[in-house]
Amino acid sequence: MLTIRDLSKTYPNGVRALSDVSLDIPNGMFGLLGPNGAGKSTLMRTIATLQDPDSGSIKLGDIDVLADKPATRRVLGYLPQEFGVYPKVTAEAMLDHFAVLKGVTRRGERRDLVDALLKQVNLWDVRKRKLGGFSGGMRQRFGIAQALIGDPKLVIVDEPTAGLDPEERQRFLNLLAEIGERVVVILSTHIVEDVTELCPRMAIIAEGRVRLAGEPRETIRALEGRVWRRAIDKNALPLYRDRMTVLSTRLAGGATLIHVLADAKPEDGFESVSPDLEDVYFGQLHHAAAAKKAA
Amino acid sequence: MFSEIFRLELRQQLRSALFWLILLALAALAFGAACSDSIQIGGGIGNIHRNAPYVVITMLAAFSVIGIFLIPIFVSGAALRDFASNTAELMFATPVSRVGYLGGRFVAGWLVSVLILVGVAIGFWLGSFMPWVDAARLGPTPWVAYGWALGVIVLPNLFFVGALLFLLAIATRSMLGTYVGVLAFVVLVVVAGLLMGHGNISHQTAGALMNPFGGGVDLATRYWTASDRNTRVPELAGLILGNRALWLGISIMLLGATLALFRPDREGLRWFRRRRRITAPVEPATAAATPIVLPLVHLRSGFAARFRQFRKLAWFDTKSVLGGAAFLVMLLLGLANLTGALSFTGEIYGTPVYPVTHLMAGAMDSNYKWFLLIVLIFYAGELVWRERGAGLSEVVDAFPTPDWMPLLAKVAALAAVIVVFLAVGSLYCVGYQLLHGFTHLQPLLYLQFIGLSLLAFLLLGILALVFQVWSNNKFAGYALVIGWLILMFGLSQLHFNDNIYRFGSAPDTPYSDMNGFGSFWIGNLWFRAYWYCLATALLVVAGLYWVRGNVGGWRARGRIALQRFRAPARVALALSLSGFVAIGAFLWHNTHGLYRYTTHEVQQKLAARYEKDYRKYMGMVQPRITDVNVNVAIHPKRRAVDVTGHYTLVNKHDKPIDTLLVQLPTLDTRESSVDLDFPAHTATLADRRQGFYLYKLATPLAPGASMPFTFHEHVAYPGFANEPAGERLIHNGTFLSSDAFPHFCYDTDRELKDNNDRRKYGLGPARLLPRRSDLAARGDNLVSCDADWVHFQATLSTSADQIALAPGYLQKEWVQGGRRYFHYVQDSPILDFFSFQSARYQVARSKWHDVNLEVYYDAGNAWNVQRILKAMKLSLDYYTRNFGPFQFRQLRILEIPNYFGFA
């Protein structure tokens, strides 16, 4: 169980990345959904001991994450949003190196672990190949392999599926789900489907604030009967924006399809649709934007 | 099209702060060279005017050489601009022509470099007008020389370097590749310089042509008198013209090659087009059928685990350097440069010598090791930024390794790199020795040289790392190191040479095969210990500020540093700083307590004072030494000597002498004393600092009368000084001379010689040698001012394992109290100049008619003993036949350690 209380962080340039973030994250996959620049990565890095907040606290079971970084690091597996590799080093050698840094200093133990990890992330056949020649998906799987060294209690993966093709993405998420049965896994993403498919629990974060936290199904249920769809003329979009809460627009077959949030049918031509997480997400972002405008 | 590109490029260059910074810095340097004594460029010394044509030409030539490190910024910067700013694809998609594009860029870059040199010329010109410049040292402004230097030297030099670098930049599309080119070019110049300067005349023409910076000038002006240098400009003919034409031709060819090789596309020129493409990533169709169970592992954090982690990290960093292109390039360039140096090590003034190990080490010192400097500075930046550069920092920073570990691993990696670099050079030298059939290898000596160099270079490496960590900006880190090197250079130019405040510096460790490193390594290692204490403290602080995770800004770093400043860091800092202070006190006791540390300025002042106060006593009528009987007790282990000497002084003049002038030696070591004992007298002048004394004799010494004069002298070299001191009194190979005995005349050797120094201290021009008609001067022989021929005998004692020698025939040799005694008597009168040797000598004897021939040599240096004996015989044959009979019954040749530039 990871407990985050009142976490705030303002960067020197005035950007308020986190404000009063409080979350309770149990074992299992936890989805952190938010647009670019919402503060997801700041939150992830702070949990991963790489950054100090201005105020607030983080507890992982008995460990005070902010005060006892070494203890946190021993149970942490972290895959940052962007990470590079030494292009001339082989996957096996690099993973071996990381395992030593993690504390697996017995050679025999380490060899077995590296072998198993490479097999688990399906890189066994290319273990002798240099990392510079890896595709984005292979690299991402290598990243998850290093995050799994030493049986971590807390796994943090920051936007892991960006840049992966659908097949790779699926395989990657399956792998995460498997791990998530036993430990806390925090998955940050701006792709709504990632969360819908995998995460029993989730939070939406925007402008540094937690807009919503809960189970995806429940949050969707809250919108039941309130999401309406209509095909409109492209030029009429600003009019709709002014009058209604437009959640999303999509071009479909030459027409513009909009989703609108409303307690009752806004006007003729709209039809009710069953909401999905994307509607929830856009709804929250809309709120956040409105709140900012009001302030 | 050309003019558009040219104007754009020129505007960009002139707007860059770097251009003005460099221009101002170099112009200031030239300004200083023209108006101060601290900066010497161009050779405006002695009678040569500060602004002589010769000085202007050499100065501008020198700056055009310095320029080769700056030109890459402008010329290669111009070539690489579009690639660096990612505008290349935009640019190449326009219909710009090759000639227009390249030409515009090149001419602009070249012109900017020329402007820098024009700035230098202006700085120098302005400097010569400064009011404090001694007008006597200025000539008329040499406009012709300025024009000549710019036209004949600067423009073509910059044109050549520019063309070379432009080609390299276009071909490699990398700044690193270009800098490698700079280095290759420096090697070329150094080799040419060696060819020119090595005294072997047959290489001079080749050397003059090979030097791309107008080598012929040096040859043409080498024998110019001061007056020539003050008035003339070299003719543009002969080797100078040939050299200029040759390099201009080569430059044009380089530009042609650039034009041919330039490819306006994304790929650029690829020397090795990769044929074997990496096979497309294989994606196994299905994931593993059965779930893999990860084995249970233990995460350890004990001492052994920490050590393994540290070793792994250090090795990982070391491997990255050793496999790095820049390292390999530097290594190869260093070896190439070393090869050039070694090929000259084989001879001294055309005489072949054995490639002994210390000569190899000397070649490495002067022609190999400074590449290591570049390696260290460069890779200190690379290593500190390695994880962040590769985008891996967030991964590794989240691992449970302690905060201090990465930095310390990088220190270890640099140490390993130094060792590898020096070991490769040493092995290369061993190969050279074997190739020349020289099998007397001294692996242990190589190891000692490597060890001493490692200690010196690692300090620089640590400093470079610390600068990188503190500045937290790679280029600021580089700038700090280079600024620091310049500061150190400036300090030594200004004669601030006390090792106590020059980070990393230590006394030299002169080596001789006879005496090894003697006791000189002691001071060296103490100073290193001192600086390693400070380096440790710096590392501790750098470790506190080590950036881990996403930390920006000094305030955040300071907060984290404070958090990290717990017991272990405090203890480490306290220990290292107290070690630094304690050792510093000990060093001070040695270099300032046991020895006199005299700055250059104080030395000069003393010399000027000496001349002003005492020159009036020159030629004062004094008695002459006629008999010398000395007892010299040498203690090689303690590096001490006790001398008891008895002179007989005779008044050879026709007037009585009532005042005795005594000049005693002034040594750097404070453990030196002289007690005098002679007939009743009172001191009328006693200057201890200068060793100058006047004694009024109670009874004047009548003409023809004689008096005894006895002295007890004690000299020892305990501990160590700021620079190696007492090279004449050492463990094996002591070589004392009678210079350090009392003498009875004003010592003209102590006077300042350089006219500019003399003027500064208000002394007249240096005196020329006396005229042949000067009878007073003719009263003295070459070596002494207070004696003619003397009778000499000496009793020497030394440690039991050594032989002590003095002039004269050995009368008796005995052992007493564990010491060996020798009594020598010279039965015919000799000049008043003696030396006393003591060493673990081997003796080879032979005879030439009645003359005993003896060679005293060190057991390790038996190389040429038989040849020397043979040469002695042949020489005696020749000299007696052609000059006259040999007046002695013995001829001895003795080996001395090679600490001296003579014998």
Side-chain angles (χ1 to χ4, degrees):
Chain A
M1 178 81 160
L2 184 74
T3 318
I4 299 169
R5 285 289 171 270
D6 304 324
L7 216 53
S8 291
K9 171 77 184 178
T10 307
Y11 284 111
N13 62 7
V15 172
R16 181 143 198 166
L18 297 176
S19 48
D20 297 326
V21 171
S22 295
L23 284 171
D24 292 307
I25 304 176
N27 276 6
M29 293 275 279
F30 186 88
L32 197 59
L33 206 51
N36 291 330
K40 295 193 300 291
S41 288
T42 301
L43 181 59
M44 303 292 248
R45 272 202 294 262
T46 309
I47 303 171
T49 74
L50 295 175
Q51 200 169 328
D52 286 336
D54 297 335
S55 60
S57 70
I58 306 175
K59 287 244 161 49
L60 176 69
D62 301 332
I63 303 171
D64 182 340
V65 171
L66 297 176
D68 193 356
K69 288 178 182 172
T72 313
R73 285 167 184 156
R74 274 196 284 277
V75 297
L76 172 72
Y78 176 50
L79 174 60
Q81 180 178 356
E82 285 171 359
F83 81 102
V85 289
Y86 298 127
K88 288 184 200 157
V89 182
T90 65
E92 194 179 32
M94 194 78 229
L95 205 55
D96 181 74
H97 180 70
F98 286 156
V100 174
L101 296 188
K102 189 86 192 190
V104 190
T105 50
R106 284 276 162 79
R107 188 180 298 250
E109 268 183 8
R110 193 165 71 240
R111 196 174 319 136
D112 294 345
L113 174 70
V114 167
D115 284 359
L117 280 170
L118 286 168
K119 281 177 185 150
Q120 185 169 40
V121 298
N122 228 336
L123 291 174
W124 174 252
D125 298 332
V126 293
R127 66 190 181 281
K128 298 287 184 197
R129 203 189 283 173
K130 289 182 175 164
L131 290 166
F134 272 26
S135 72
M138 294 159 85
R139 192 180 289 196
Q140 221 40 295
R141 275 182 280 142
F142 175 80
I144 198 68
Q146 66 80 21
L148 297 183
I149 296 171
D151 196 18
K153 300 283 171 284
L154 170 63
V155 175
I156 299 172
V157 286
D158 197 355
E159 302 215 4
T161 54
L164 296 194
D165 68 32
E167 198 190 347
E168 279 175 334
R169 178 172 152 261
Q170 202 52 53
R171 197 180 295 135
F172 184 84
L173 293 175
N174 289 343
L175 189 62
L176 277 184
E178 226 170 87
I179 306 155
E181 288 162 13
R182 289 166 292 123
V183 301
V184 178
V185 176
I186 306 176
L187 165 76
S188 99
T189 181
H190 58 264
I191 301 170
V192 179
E193 291 151 54
D194 286 354
V195 177
T196 326
E197 289 164 20
L198 287 166
C199 301
R201 297 182 62 81
M202 56 150 309
I204 291 173
I205 176 168
E207 308 273 343
R209 284 175 194 281
V210 179
R211 315 299 317 186
L212 180 83
E215 292 172 27
R217 258 170 315 176
E218 279 183 18
T219 56
I220 293 169
R221 202 174 300 140
L223 290 188
E224 205 70 66
R226 295 175 61 212
V227 181
W228 308 85
R229 180 173 69 187
R230 185 185 178 175
I232 59 162
D233 186 65
K234 187 173 66 181
N235 298 324
L237 186 57
L239 293 175
Y240 286 93
R241 283 239 156 96
D242 284 346
R243 286 188 291 135
M244 307 170 189
T245 308
V246 178
L247 291 177
S248 62
T249 67
R250 186 167 29 210
L251 278 178
T256 302
L257 212 57
I258 59 171
H259 280 203
V260 164
L261 183 68
D263 292 339
K265 190 174 186 172
E267 58 181 59
D268 276 352
F270 278 91
E271 54 175 331
S272 175
V273 286
S274 64
D276 57 14
L277 195 57
E278 196 169 285
D279 294 315
V280 177
Y281 176 59
F282 285 122
Q284 289 303 329
L285 295 193
H286 208 279
H287 273 307
K292 193 181 177 188
K293 203 178 272 179
Chain B
M1 194 53 76
F2 169 86
S3 65
E4 182 54 37
I5 301 263
F6 169 77
R7 260 185 304 156
L8 185 75
E9 179 63 34
L10 193 63
R11 204 164 54 221
Q12 298 244 33
Q13 298 264 15
L14 293 184
R15 262 194 211 155
S16 112
L18 204 56
F19 165 76
W20 294 103
L21 207 68
I22 291 172
L23 178 85
L24 285 178
L26 291 190
L29 201 59
F31 178 86
C35 65
S36 92
D37 279 330
S38 312
I39 305 171
Q40 291 286 358
I41 302 165
I45 49 169
N47 293 325
I48 302 166
H49 292 148
R50 279 182 180 283
N51 65 343
Y54 172 83
V55 174
V56 166
I57 291 167
T58 7
M59 184 272 305
L60 280 174
F63 272 99
S64 75
V65 175
I66 298 177
I68 66 171
F69 293 104
L70 308 171
I71 292 174
I73 296 171
F74 304 116
V75 172
S76 311
L80 296 174
R81 185 180 306 284
D82 285 327
F83 303 105
S85 58
N86 280 328
T87 48
E89 288 176 35
L90 289 177
M91 206 69 194
F92 297 155
T94 65
V96 59
S97 76
R98 254 161 206 262
V99 178
Y101 178 77
L102 292 178
R105 284 279 152 85
F106 174 74
V107 174
W110 176 62
L111 195 70
V112 168
S113 324
V114 171
L115 283 180
I116 299 251
L117 266 289
V118 171
V120 166
I122 292 173
F124 193 83
W125 176 73
L126 284 177
S128 66
F129 288 111
M130 289 304 108
W132 60 84
V133 177
D134 189 347
R137 297 191 55 194
L138 291 174
T141 299
W143 297 112
V144 179
Y146 279 113
W148 196 92
L150 285 175
V152 179
I153 305 289
V154 171
L155 288 180
N157 280 2
L158 296 181
F159 191 68
F160 164 70
V161 181
L164 176 72
L165 295 175
F166 202 64
L167 171 62
L168 283 168
I170 290 292
T172 62
R173 290 197 183 176
S174 107
M175 211 60 177
L176 180 66
T178 314
Y179 271 104
V180 169
V182 172
L183 279 170
F185 177 70
V186 169
V187 172
L188 185 73
V189 174
V190 169
V191 170
L194 278 176
L195 284 169
M196 281 285 291
H198 202 67
N200 193 334
I201 289 176
S202 58
H203 296 320
Q204 281 182 349
T205 308
L209 283 177
M210 253 183 81
N211 183 346
F213 285 131
V217 176
D218 182 36
L219 211 54
T221 57
R222 180 171 292 180
Y223 300 112
W224 278 14
T225 60
S227 139
D228 283 337
R229 292 181 184 204
N230 279 339
T231 51
R232 282 176 63 185
V233 163
E235 263 177 79
L236 184 55
L239 276 178
I240 299 181
L241 187 63
N243 175 293
R244 300 287 75 186
L246 175 68
W247 288 100
L248 205 61
I250 290 176
S251 314
I252 291 169
M253 273 160 52
L254 290 175
L255 285 182
T258 312
L259 209 55
L261 287 175
F262 177 62
R263 289 162 52 107
D265 63 17
R266 217 191 125 108
E267 293 274 301
L269 186 69
R270 281 282 175 81
W271 298 107
F272 320 99
R273 279 207 178 261
R274 210 173 286 174
R275 296 268 173 245
R276 193 174 55 84
R277 285 287 300 159
I278 294 178
T279 43
V282 188
E283 291 292 342
T286 51
T290 50
I292 311 283
V293 181
L294 290 180
L296 200 66
V297 293
H298 299 279
L299 301 185
R300 295 164 207 276
S301 56
F303 181 77
R306 288 288 183 245
F307 178 72
R308 286 195 182 136
Q309 288 178 324
F310 173 74
R311 201 177 54 189
K312 180 92 179 173
L313 263 180
W315 175 233
F316 201 66
D317 281 338
T318 308
K319 265 197 307 194
S320 84
V321 177
L322 298 186
F327 176 78
L328 293 173
V329 165
M330 297 299 166
L331 191 68
L332 288 177
L333 283 176
L335 290 178
N337 201 31
L338 183 60
T339 311
L342 285 178
S343 68
F344 296 112
T345 307
E347 48 183 62
I348 294 175
Y349 290 110
T351 305
V353 295
Y354 291 111
V356 292
T357 301
H358 75 86
L359 285 180
M360 301 291 104
M364 275 168 61
D365 268 339
S366 53
N367 288 283
Y368 180 67
K369 287 186 186 162
W370 56 271
F371 287 92
L372 193 50
L373 205 72
I374 302 169
V375 168
L376 287 179
I377 294 174
F378 180 72
Y379 278 105
E382 289 293 302
L383 285 180
V384 166
W385 288 90
R386 185 168 184 226
E387 285 82 8
R388 282 179 272 184
L392 256 179
S393 56
E394 292 208 10
V395 176
V396 296
D397 286 351
F399 285 132
T401 44
D403 294 329
W404 52 264
M405 196 178 273
L407 181 59
L408 216 57
K410 287 167 204 303
V411 174
L414 283 189
V417 167
I418 295 170
V419 170
V420 168
F421 194 90
L422 295 174
V424 169
S426 300
L427 287 176
Y428 191 78
C429 287
V430 169
Y432 177 87
Q433 289 176 314
L434 291 176
L435 198 70
H436 286 73
F438 185 81
T439 52
H440 179 66
L441 304 176
Q442 294 168 283
L444 212 63
L445 185 57
Y446 276 115
L447 285 180
Q448 286 170 333
F449 279 122
I450 290 177
L452 288 172
S453 301
L454 168 67
L455 290 180
F457 277 104
L458 186 58
L459 279 171
L460 178 81
I462 290 175
L463 194 72
L465 286 174
V466 166
F467 279 149
Q468 288 289 351
V469 174
W470 282 352
S471 67
N472 204 27
N473 175 317
K474 201 180 196 172
F475 291 96
Y478 287 144
L480 281 173
V481 184
I482 290 167
W484 180 79
L485 287 177
I486 292 174
L487 179 73
M488 284 297 115
F489 174 76
L491 282 179
S492 64
Q493 284 291 300
L494 297 169
H495 305 289
F496 285 102
N497 287 324
D498 198 336
N499 293 320
I500 204 100
Y501 53 69
R502 293 172 57 93
F503 179 85
S505 69
D508 283 339
T509 50
Y511 174 83
S512 92
D513 278 341
M514 257 183 111
N515 192 40
F517 292 104
S519 53
F520 299 125
W521 58 272
I522 297 172
N524 182 280
L525 291 194
W526 273 114
F527 264 100
R528 298 287 185 226
Y530 172 67
W531 291 120
Y532 274 97
C533 281
L534 184 64
T536 306
L538 293 179
L539 275 176
V540 170
V541 178
L544 297 178
Y545 279 90
W546 178 260
V547 171
R548 183 169 190 165
N550 196 25
V551 184
W554 275 102
R555 191 182 299 181
R557 293 179 69 198
R559 203 172 53 232
I560 289 173
L562 219 59
Q563 284 170 13
R564 287 177 183 165
F565 195 48
R566 301 239 178 90
R570 285 180 194 191
V571 170
L573 192 66
L575 277 181
S576 54
L577 282 180
S578 45
F580 179 68
V581 172
I583 297 177
F586 175 67
L587 296 178
W588 186 266
H589 164 69
N590 274 275
T591 59
H592 290 73
L594 299 180
Y595 290 86
R596 231 172 244 116
Y597 174 74
T598 322
T599 62
H600 177 77
E601 200 174 357
V602 170
Q603 280 169 22
Q604 288 206 333
K605 269 188 192 149
L606 277 173
R609 199 74 255 155
Y610 182 78
E611 183 176 347
K612 281 181 190 163
D613 291 348
Y614 305 129
R615 184 161 177 106
K616 59 184 174 229
Y617 298 110
M618 192 177 160
M620 182 176 167
V621 171
Q622 286 293 296
R624 311 284 277 186
I625 307 170
T626 58
D627 286 86
V628 178
N629 183 353
V630 288
N631 190 320
V632 181
I634 300 167
H635 303 278
K637 272 261 154 51
R638 287 197 282 123
R639 299 185 64 204
V641 66
D642 286 287
V643 181
T644 302
H646 304 282
Y647 288 158
T648 302
L649 304 181
V650 176
N651 182 354
K652 292 185 177 179
H653 306 276
D654 48 10
K655 275 182 281 194
I657 295 170
D658 63 350
T659 300
L660 195 62
L661 182 169
V662 180
Q663 175 70 61
L664 297 182
T666 48
L667 300 176
D668 289 336
T669 169
R670 291 194 204 266
E671 191 177 338
S672 64
S673 61
V674 188
D675 295 321
L676 304 180
D677 184 11
F678 56 97
H681 58 268
T682 48
T684 55
L685 193 159
D687 185 342
R688 273 181 63 85
R689 190 81 171 91
Q690 305 270 24
F692 194 89
Y693 299 83
L694 290 178
Y695 295 105
K696 183 109 183 152
L697 296 171
T699 321
L701 192 62
S706 66
M707 63 180 268
F709 183 95
T710 300
F711 60 93
H712 304 278
E713 195 168 335
H714 170 79
V715 176
Y717 291 92
F720 51 87
N722 193 55
E723 282 304 325
E727 281 131 325
R728 285 175 171 273
L729 188 49
I730 54 180
H731 296 164
N732 184 32
T734 292
F735 175 38
L736 303 167
S737 96
S738 56
D739 287 345
F741 290 173
H743 284 285
F744 307 98
C745 46
Y746 170 82
D747 185 1
T748 48
D749 282 346
R750 290 175 182 239
E751 294 181 351
L752 288 173
K753 301 285 181 300
D754 185 90
N755 267 340
N756 304 314
D757 290 339
R758 293 181 63 82
R759 201 172 310 116
K760 193 161 134 197
Y761 290 99
L763 300 166
R767 290 168 192 82
L768 303 175
L769 285 175
R771 296 190 166 278
R772 270 195 294 182
S773 56
D774 183 343
L775 285 177
R778 277 166 66 176
D780 291 327
N781 61 44
L782 175 69
V783 297
S784 49
C785 53
D786 54 3
D788 305 303
W789 298 103
V790 298
H791 296 284
F792 175 80
Q793 62 171 307
T795 304
L796 271 61
S797 66
T798 184
S799 56
D801 58 340
Q802 300 203 352
I803 298 177
L805 289 134
Y809 303 98
L810 182 63
Q811 305 296 310
K812 198 178 155 205
E813 183 189 334
W814 69 98
V815 176
Q816 187 187 320
R819 288 174 60 77
R820 243 167 128 177
Y821 286 76
F822 303 83
H823 182 217
Y824 294 94
V825 173
Q826 182 64 47
D827 53 17
S828 52
I830 54 172
L831 288 173
D832 181 36
F833 177 73
F834 336 103
S835 56
F836 306 90
Q837 278 93 351
S838 173
R840 291 187 290 273
Y841 282 123
Q842 308 289 311
V843 193
R845 297 171 206 277
S846 186
K847 258 191 158 0
W848 177 84
H849 301 300
D850 286 341
V851 178
N852 286 321
L853 304 182
E854 290 167 354
V855 176
Y856 292 79
Y857 62 95
D858 188 72
N861 279 343
W863 311 101
N864 293 314
V865 172
Q866 291 312 315
R867 288 175 66 145
I868 292 172
L869 281 172
K870 193 176 163 200
M872 288 160 87
K873 291 175 192 168
L874 292 175
S875 306
L876 284 170
D877 278 339
Y878 181 86
Y879 298 147
T880 48
R881 195 165 57 241
N882 290 289
F883 303 135
F886 186 59
Q887 66 271 43
F888 301 109
R889 299 190 307 281
Q890 67 178 3
L891 177 60
R892 297 175 297 180
I893 288 186
L894 287 78
E895 182 179 355
I896 55 167
N898 68 337
Y899 294 141
F900 312 101
F902 61 89

